[in-house]
Amino acid sequence: MLNRLSRVLSLVGTALVLPMMVLIIADVALRFAFSRPITGTAEIASLMLVCMVLGVSWCAIEGRHIRVSLVMDRFPLRAQAIVDSITMLAGLVICIIITWQGYQSSLWVLESQEVASELLPLPIFPFYWIYVLGWVALCLVMVPLLIQKVKGIIQG
Amino acid sequence: MSPEAVGLIGIALLLVLLFARMWIAFAMAFVGFFGIAYLQSFDQAFLIAGTAPFVFISKYALTTLPMFVLMGNIIAVSGIGTDLFYAADKWVGQLRGGLAIATTLACALLAAITGISSVALVTMGKIALPEMRKHKYDDTLATGCIACAGTLAFLIPPSIAFILYGIITEQSVGLLFMAGILPGMLLAALFIVAVMIITAFNPKAGPAGPKTTFKEKIVSLKGVWSMLVLFLLVLGGIYMGVFTPTEGGAVGAGGAILISTISRRLSLKDFRHSLVDTGLMTAMVLLLMMGVSIFIRFMAISKVPFMLGETISQLTVSPMAIFAVIVVLYLILGMFTDIIASILLTIPILYPVVISLGFDPIWFGVMVVVLIEIGLVTPPIGMDVFILSGITGTPVGTIFRGVWPFCVAGIICVVILAVFPQIALFIPGTMK
């Protein structure tokens, strides 16, 4: 269930890669050929990139987030599980803080009706929500990862 | 406690967390958050945690990342690298160590249209290595050469490393790209010299291949056109100012898709796989960038980089001696992490120091990339060696034994660039 959710979110983020590419190429081509660039390309492409945060939870499940395992690999399995549990818990704490504060900022952005730029009056609060959604999913998938590590301590 | 002391404790804690196998992104965010909370207030730390990551990644320049990753992924499945290898082999194969030289050349050419080393590692691991084994090449030479030449992707533009460096230091990615061209060619040439020296001392390590006719040489160039078109399209466009490096990524990805579709070398399955991997890779880097966004604020508040710069500039040793220390630092660091993490971890701390010493920011970017490249193939953690070992099934130890002559070549490259910074700065100078 959780796996499926993060997989879907990740695919939604990934699906934006091609439109982003087409948008930028169209902007370049129109500017080059007719000196008529597409207004707001930079803003739209940047906000599309923000949406790709949706992929971070699937990335976590796939074990793609970078870490330095050189030192820990040399310790006994139980010691590894203990340290991993602690760092995973610390990670979850900061993850929840960023998620919660991201949500607070989104409310603030909504209230102040912040837009992408003067040229492009696109409200940015929906993108804050998409960003927060990516983070919520990351918090959620970290819980089973943490439980797995704690189980590792018990089983040794 | 002074802010600087808190900053230094923060860096020490970060190192502990990294070695405790915490995700690098979270370790940076964690230390940054609590550091800011201690130095200023929790309210301030909450505010930064809520806004800084979003603001840091919603940058147009960062869209280049998925674009160049996609371009690389498409090229990896399109067989362009294979063509380059066979063409290079026709030209230099008859030399002693010819296949290894051809591999280096093919990697350098591939580097001119890709920004990540995995493309070259996959292609050469699957094509060049079996070919070298067939011709009784020493496995250490064959794999060492591929692992090291593969890292050229980060120095020869386009390059993910320069994009991230440029974004964090607010330097022009276009200038960094141009600055990488000559040093990249220099390093490739030094790698080739390394192959020649190895095979001169031990001719059995890389026997010469059959002679080829002039006609065969010319015919082989037909495999190079797609690379040339992509190179001229992307780098030419950036150099001439038709589009920015940011836009160049999209143009390159589009060009790569178009060329490989026209030549019927891109299956739907490969295409889908390339896209999914691009999404994962982008998400991975985004999480790192978001961690950096909080840590970098903590560093600024603690004034540690400023203090380090101040202290070092008061020392009576020459800047070059300090630079030598930085070189050693990067070589050590490169042994433990991959290139993206190395840049994101060190630049927030070291960049202000280096600039206050009066070094050129573009030149320093080139140096950092060369140094981290060496780190990518040195034990105990050589990411590229691990990747190549995974692709080819060659034991890690064999590859590590093969990389050292190329690492010496890398160090020589660093020394040459330190003595003649013009090599890096010449082309960017002609651009303005």
Side-chain angles (χ1 to χ4, degrees), chain B residues 11 14-15 18 24 28 165 168-169 292 295-296 299 305 308 326 329-330 333-334 337-354 364 368 372:
Chain B
I11 294 174
L14 177 66
L15 287 175
L18 290 182
I24 296 179
M28 296 184 94
Y165 179 89
I168 297 182
T169 61
V292 172
F295 184 74
I296 210 168
M299 279 294 108
L308 285 177
I326 293 177
L329 195 73
Y330 267 101
L333 186 85
T337 55
D338 86 323
I339 192 158
I340 296 170
S342 298
I343 289 179
L344 297 188
L345 276 170
T346 55
I347 295 304
I349 306 171
L350 280 183
Y351 179 75
V353 178
V354 172
F364 182 64
V368 167
I372 301 178

Side-chain angles (χ1 to χ4, degrees), chain A residues 32-84:
Chain A
F32 186 67
F34 309 105
S35 311
R36 292 277 301 270
I38 302 172
T39 311
T41 299
E43 290 83 358
I44 297 170
S46 317
L47 291 171
M48 281 174 159
L49 184 69
V50 168
C51 297
M52 292 188 72
V53 170
L54 290 173
V56 290
S57 58
W58 182 247
C59 219
I61 292 175
E62 293 269 290
R64 291 277 290 261
H65 290 302
I66 307 181
R67 56 212 179 112
V68 181
S69 52
L70 162 79
V71 180
M72 290 301 295
D73 286 347
R74 285 151 205 262
F75 281 89
L77 282 177
R78 174 166 283 182
Q80 284 189 30
I82 293 172
V83 175
D84 277 345

Side-chain angles (χ1 to χ4, degrees), chain B residues 242-405:
Chain B
V242 178
F243 41 75
T244 63
T246 307
E247 295 159 345
V251 173
I257 293 174
L258 193 68
I259 285 183
S260 42
T261 313
I262 291 175
S263 51
R264 297 173 177 274
R265 296 173 102 170
L266 186 64
S267 70
L268 199 59
K269 186 169 150 257
D270 282 341
F271 183 56
R272 225 171 23 220
H273 186 253
S274 303
L275 270 180
V276 170
D277 187 75
T278 305
L280 275 178
M281 173 91 183
T282 307
M284 187 270 279
V285 179
L286 285 182
L287 192 70
L288 271 173
M289 293 296 266
M290 291 191 281
V292 172
S293 72
I294 299 176
F295 184 74
I296 210 168
R297 296 286 283 270
F298 168 52
M299 279 294 108
I301 293 168
S302 76
K303 302 199 197 76
V304 162
F306 181 73
M307 178 204 73
L308 285 177
E310 195 85 322
T311 318
I312 294 174
S313 58
Q314 278 165 4
L315 297 178
T316 46
V317 290
S318 77
M320 269 303 160
I322 295 159
F323 186 73
V325 174
I326 293 177
V327 168
V328 174
L329 195 73
Y330 267 101
L331 288 178
I332 297 172
L333 186 85
M335 292 176 183
F336 296 100
T337 55
D338 86 323
I339 192 158
I340 296 170
S342 298
I343 289 179
L344 297 188
L345 276 170
T346 55
I347 295 304
I349 306 171
L350 280 183
Y351 179 75
V353 178
V354 172
I355 298 313
S356 75
L357 289 173
F359 289 110
D360 185 275
I362 302 290
W363 171 83
F364 182 64
V366 173
M367 289 302 245
V368 167
V369 170
V370 178
L371 288 168
I372 301 178
E373 277 185 358
I374 299 173
L376 279 174
V377 292
T378 41
I381 303 287
M383 286 306 287
D384 279 24
V385 170
F386 292 171
I387 296 174
L388 186 64
S389 168
I391 294 166
T392 63
T394 317
V396 172
T398 308
I399 309 181
F400 276 140
R401 273 205 307 282
V403 298
W404 72 264

Side-chain angles (χ1 to χ4, degrees), chain A residues 7 10-11 13-14 16-18 20-22 24-25 27-28 31-32 41-43 45-47 49-56 58-60 62 64-74 80-81 83-84 87-88 90-95 97-98 100-102 105 108 124 127-128 131 135 138 142 145 149, chain B residues 17-27 29-30 33-34 45-47 49-55 57-63 65-67 70 241-244 246-251 253-255 257 271 275-284 286-288 290 294 335-338 340-341 380-381:
Chain A
R7 177 105 179 108
S10 164
L11 287 179
T14 303
L16 288 168
V17 173
L18 285 183
M20 188 195 281
M21 184 185 88
V22 172
I24 299 174
I25 294 177
D27 177 48
V28 171
R31 189 182 59 209
F32 186 67
T41 299
E43 290 83 358
S46 317
L47 291 171
L49 184 69
V50 168
C51 297
M52 292 188 72
V53 170
L54 290 173
V56 290
W58 182 247
C59 219
E62 293 269 290
R64 291 277 290 261
H65 290 302
I66 307 181
R67 56 212 179 112
V68 181
S69 52
L70 162 79
V71 180
M72 290 301 295
D73 286 347
R74 285 151 205 262
Q80 284 189 30
V83 175
D84 277 345
T87 54
M88 198 60 97
L92 185 57
V93 168
I94 193 68
C95 191
I97 291 173
I98 295 175
W100 167 45
Q101 287 305 316
S105 309
W108 186 76
I124 64 169
F127 296 95
Y128 256 95
Y131 161 86
W135 275 98
L138 183 59
M142 283 192 74
L145 289 177
K149 294 294 173 193
Chain B
L17 291 177
L18 290 182
F19 283 122
R21 207 157 61 180
M22 190 161 174
W23 294 356
I24 296 179
F26 280 160
F30 188 86
F33 177 83
F34 286 101
F46 280 135
L47 189 70
T51 50
F54 185 98
V55 173
I57 60 166
S58 58
K59 284 200 180 102
Y60 189 34
L62 199 53
T63 58
L65 177 82
M67 293 301 116
L70 177 64
V242 178
F243 41 75
T244 63
T246 307
E247 295 159 345
V251 173
I257 293 174
F271 183 56
L275 270 180
V276 170
D277 187 75
T278 305
L280 275 178
M281 173 91 183
T282 307
M284 187 270 279
L286 285 182
L287 192 70
L288 271 173
M290 291 191 281
I294 299 176
M335 292 176 183
F336 296 100
T337 55
D338 86 323
I340 296 170
I381 303 287

